[in-house]
Amino acid sequence: MALINEHYQKLKAGYLFPEISRRVKQYSISNPDKELIRMGIGDVTQPLAPAVIKAFREGVDEMASIETFKGYGPEQGYAFLRNEIAENEMFMRGVHIPPDDIFISDGSKCDTGNILEIFGINNVLGICDPVYPVYVDTSVMAGRTGYISDNGYYDGIYYMPCTQNNNFVPDIPNHKIDIIFLCFPNNPTGSVATRQQLKAWVDYAKQNKSIILFDAAYQAFITDPEIPHSIFEIEGAKDVAIEFRSFSKKAGFTGTRCAFTIIPDELLAYTSTGEAVQVKSLWARRHSTKFNGVSYPVQRAAAAVYTKEGKEQTQAIIRYYMENARLLKQGLESLGFTVFGGTNAPYIWVKTKNGMSSWDFFDLLLNTVQIVGTPGSGFGPSGEGYFRFSSFARREHVIEALERLTNAKI
Ligand SMILES: *Cc1c(COP(=O)(O)O)cnc(C)c1O
């Protein structure tokens, strides 16, 4: 008799995005003439930059000829891409990361979900609330938690509330956490962490021999020059952190798939008897056993993001999205909403009016103005009473959405 992994049965039944799809589908069936504006799932809408497409095509052409055809590539990624990343993402911000500490993958979702595999099952996990659902759900699947309780929290996770009181940056715990998930600029709240706040986390991790898993998927959207783009800009972070980066939001690769994870040589974790082990060597072993690399044309396309044209073109797309964010923030504020995020991140985190619940606000927007957003409570209990708008929509849809909201006096 084949047995299932029963940890999967602990997962909360209605995962956020399927539940949104269900309600949207139901609405569309009953109202086929109504045009929806989707500002829910954080997916990009603008096409890949021309310089990226050109390199992508060249990569494909190389696969067509016997002289330049490529079979399996290095599991860790081609050196041409790792060198560009080390130079442009790190060295140009004053951080020295050797290309050998960079692991190319097909997504940060996968990497942030898979990374726990190399860490012991008894680590205490610290996870923000609200949060990108992947960190919690993959922990549940791996049997690192107990059951979910009535208040929406899984037993065995140390939740770190991110609320208006702490500017949506978690307070340093007075409790020992072994592995801490941080994501800045943040999805869903659009908040950023200052240098001082990140320094406090690095110090905490040093004191407690903890590891910070730093998801910087949205670093390209930072506009304030004082805000660090990488945790490695903080002194001492190489001893305590792993960083996840992705081309998905930075360069529109959500459908193309390319990301990377940085694990410094210096980073150590311990056996139960206290023996230090290099974390990078464990991940290298895992990566080369379970992963066979990102396709060559995709890595060529990703490397083209760092050419002169590639930089200019991807920056222009980021500016386009951030102008959407500015319009949304301004428009919602003028309608009397309290709005967070949207200046260093593509997400707008809005407080509903009169204490309305996140799902009631979702239904209100869907039914009265046909706008689809994301209920804050879907990201965790502390997201209740908030709503997330994504700026990755097309400009005309942002403008139309604001008009509909204004006309409906929402
Ligand atoms: C979109 C996103 C990612 C990127 O995921 P990919 O698998 O690289 O597309 C990672 N982390 C967060 C928080 C995100 O929102």
Side-chain angles (χ1 to χ4, degrees), residues 22-36:
R22 195 187 64 77
R23 294 193 192 200
V24 169
K25 200 168 157 192
Q26 203 172 30
Y27 180 83
S28 304
I29 291 169
S30 343
N31 302 275
D33 53 321
K34 292 282 205 300
E35 209 176 313
L36 293 171

Side-chain angles (χ1 to χ4, degrees), residues 42 105-112 131-135 183 185-188 215-218 244-249 253-255 257-260 347 388 392:
S105 78
D106 60 355
S108 287
K109 186 192 219 179
C110 332
D111 287 352
T112 53
V131 78
Y132 179 55
V134 174
Y135 317 146
C183 171
N186 190 260
N187 175 9
D215 185 342
Y218 296 96
F244 303 92
R245 290 279 191 102
S246 173
F247 291 93
S248 284
K249 317 297 163 40
F253 273 54
T254 53
R257 313 304 305 142
C258 197
F260 57 96
Y347 294 118
R388 190 192 77 174
F392 289 124

Side-chain angles (χ1 to χ4, degrees), residues 25 41 45 51 74 95 124 140 194 205 219 222 350 385:
K25 200 168 157 192
I41 293 185
T45 51
V95 180
V124 177
V140 175
T194 62
Q219 60 76 31
I222 294 173
V350 182

